[in-house]
Amino acid sequence: GSSRFIAFTLFCGVAAAFAHLMVHLGEAVPVVGASGAVSGHMAGAIRFLFSARGPAFGPNTDLASQPLASLQQTFTDRRILAFLVVWTVVNLMFGIGDVRLEGAGGGIAWVAHMGGFAAGLLGIGLFDRRSPAAPQQSSLQ
């Protein structure tokens, strides 16, 4: 529902800002934007998209009916691990490395992205409308 979505967005955004603050404690390094929360959305989504039943995208797939992968499934699925590695390396390249986007005036808040991503990956279960033990309802109902 929309209230859970907003709460999840705030959860990821606050975690992103907190991560940024912890790394830049005492520095005048501002963080502006919602990209940390969006990173959290991406992380939460991969726990649905790479469900144990196979690929989420098919001709008649109802994404709302995809089960949330457990943390154990998440951290043992090679597809998810590959996504996590690529996503982390790209963020580190922009953050620690000297990779810049053409025309970008400031740096990228990569720590905020990482904080929001971690919050989304680990916290999406708190906002999922289905209990992990609840049976999945048929989409025909």
Side-chain angles (χ1 to χ4, degrees):
S2 57
S3 60
R4 280 190 212 87
F5 180 79
I6 291 169
F8 181 62
T9 301
L10 291 172
F11 174 76
C12 293
V14 167
F18 183 74
H20 181 82
L21 176 66
M22 290 297 98
V23 170
H24 297 287
L25 198 58
E27 298 176 29
V29 179
V31 62
V32 179
S35 58
V38 172
S39 294
H41 289 178
M42 287 175 43
I46 65 172
R47 288 191 52 197
F48 289 101
L49 294 176
F50 295 111
S51 69
R53 290 191 228 164
F57 299 109
N60 298 313
T61 301
D62 177 13
L63 291 178
S65 69
Q66 291 296 315
L68 176 67
S70 70
L71 285 175
Q72 179 182 7
Q73 291 169 326
T74 298
F75 291 116
T76 57
D77 187 319
R78 288 184 177 160
R79 299 167 300 167
I80 294 175
L81 293 175
F83 181 90
L84 293 176
V85 167
V86 169
W87 190 90
T88 301
V89 166
V90 167
N91 272 278
L92 290 174
M93 283 173 37
F94 280 98
I96 295 174
D98 200 21
V99 177
R100 299 282 179 228
L101 294 175
E102 186 68 33
I108 294 175
W110 66 276
V111 177
H113 293 170
M114 303 281 285
F117 193 88
L121 186 67
L122 300 174
I124 185 67
L126 300 172
F127 302 91
D128 186 24
R129 72 175 179 268
R130 297 164 290 198
S131 156
Q136 298 296 319
Q137 293 184 357
S138 169
S139 60
L140 298 175
Q141 294 177 348

